Amino acid sequence: MNDSELGEAKLDGISEHVNDSQYRWLAHELHDGLLQWVVGARMQVESALAKIDKDSAAALNLDQAIAHMLNALAEGRSLIRFFDNQEMGDCDAVKEIAQFVDSVQSLVADRGQTLRIELPNPAWPDLPKHQAWSLLRFVQQAAQNAIQHAGPTQITVQLGWEIAEDSSSVVASIEDLGVGFDTTLPTPQGHFGLQSLQQRANMSGGRFQIASSPGLGCRVALTVPI
C-alpha cells in the first residue's frame, strides 16, 4: 500500500473507530490548542497594522492576513460544533457552502477572478452531518485550488442533482475557465489537493470526477447518493 492509499484508508476508518467522547476530546483540543495560536497570531498582526501607514501595500496585505485568520477561526468553531454534536441532527450543506463562497470573495477579487454559486433546484434536503461536512470541505478545497492555480478567470460552484430511476444523488461541482493542466501527469511532490478531493469522496460514499486540459480550465465534481 502506498502513502496515498494508506492516507485514504486512515480517513475512511475515522467514523468507524472514533466514538462520541473522542469527538468531544478533539473539539476541546482544537479549541484550547490550535485556535488559541490563531487568536494570538491575529492579535500580533493587528498590533503591527496599528503601527504602519493604513494606505500602504503592507497594510493591505496585513488586512488580508487578518481576514484569513477570521475565516480560520470561523472554520475552527464550525468544526468544534461538528465534533461536539457528531450524532445530533442533519445539516444545511447549501447554507454552509454559500457562506464559504461569500467569505472568499475579497481574496478572489484581489486575484482578478470572479466566483459565483448556482443553487440547487429543487433545494437539497438537510443531509447527515458527515455527508454535509464532506461536501463543504470538497467545495472549499476545490475552490481554493482554482483560486490559487487557475489564474485570472471565472470560477463557478454549482450545486445540483443527479436523478436515476431508482435513486437520487446531490452533486457539487467547481469549474474554472483558467489555465488547466494535464490530469495524466503525476502530482508534484508536496501537492495533496487532488488526493484530498478523492478522499472526501471516499469518506462521503460518493464519486469523484475531474476533467481538465492545458488552456481549457478544470472541472471537478462530487456526487453523493442520498
Side-chain angles (χ1 to χ4, degrees):
M1 179 180 289
N2 60 35
D3 289 344
S4 175
E5 293 169 335
L6 180 61
E8 289 180 15
K10 288 180 178 178
L11 286 170
D12 290 341
I14 285 176
S15 60
E16 297 177 7
H17 300 293
V18 180
N19 60 38
D20 190 58
S21 64
Q22 289 171 313
Y23 274 119
R24 287 195 165 85
W25 177 83
L26 287 171
H28 288 294
E29 286 297 308
L30 182 60
H31 179 272
D32 298 338
L34 181 61
L35 289 194
Q36 299 310 311
W37 287 105
V38 177
V39 170
R42 175 191 168 193
M43 293 173 64
Q44 291 294 320
V45 172
E46 288 175 337
S47 176
L49 184 60
K51 299 173 184 177
I52 65 175
D53 182 357
K54 294 294 190 292
D55 296 322
S56 67
L60 295 177
N61 289 336
L62 290 176
D63 278 333
Q64 281 295 326
I66 291 172
H68 290 319
M69 291 176 192
L70 290 173
N71 286 338
L73 288 169
E75 285 287 322
R77 289 164 183 152
S78 179
L79 184 57
I80 287 170
R81 290 194 297 273
F82 174 77
F83 281 150
D84 208 30
N85 300 279
Q86 174 65 18
E87 305 299 333
M88 297 171 59
D90 296 333
C91 182
D92 186 344
V94 174
K95 178 182 177 182
E96 297 291 336
I97 292 170
Q99 288 176 345
F100 161 73
V101 170
D102 285 342
S103 73
V104 296
Q105 288 295 344
S106 61
L107 175 61
V108 168
D110 285 344
R111 292 176 174 265
Q113 300 167 327
T114 60
L115 175 62
R116 54 190 290 267
I117 184 170
E118 296 180 4
L119 301 178
N121 184 23
W124 288 356
D126 286 354
L127 300 174
K129 284 189 174 182
H130 72 280
Q131 286 187 326
W133 192 264
S134 290
L135 282 159
L136 171 63
R137 287 302 194 214
F138 181 91
V139 170
Q140 288 175 324
Q141 179 65 58
Q144 293 285 7
N145 287 350
I147 293 168
Q148 293 178 37
H149 303 299
T153 187
Q154 176 179 293
I155 304 167
T156 302
V157 175
Q158 185 177 44
L159 308 180
W161 291 88
E162 182 180 281
I163 306 298
E165 185 174 336
D166 57 352
S167 63
S168 297
S169 300
V170 296
V171 183
S173 69
I174 298 83
E175 182 173 12
D176 69 72
L177 305 177
V179 298
F181 60 96
D182 186 344
T183 59
T184 65
L185 295 177
T187 302
Q189 187 72 22
H191 290 245
F192 302 103
L194 294 180
Q195 293 179 24
S196 177
L197 296 179
Q198 180 64 69
Q199 290 166 357
R200 289 291 174 186
N202 294 344
M203 292 169 66
S204 65
R207 183 176 75 253
F208 172 56
Q209 295 173 298
I210 180 169
S212 184
S213 296
L216 297 178
C218 179
R219 181 183 185 272
V220 296
L222 172 60
T223 302
V224 178
I226 60 172

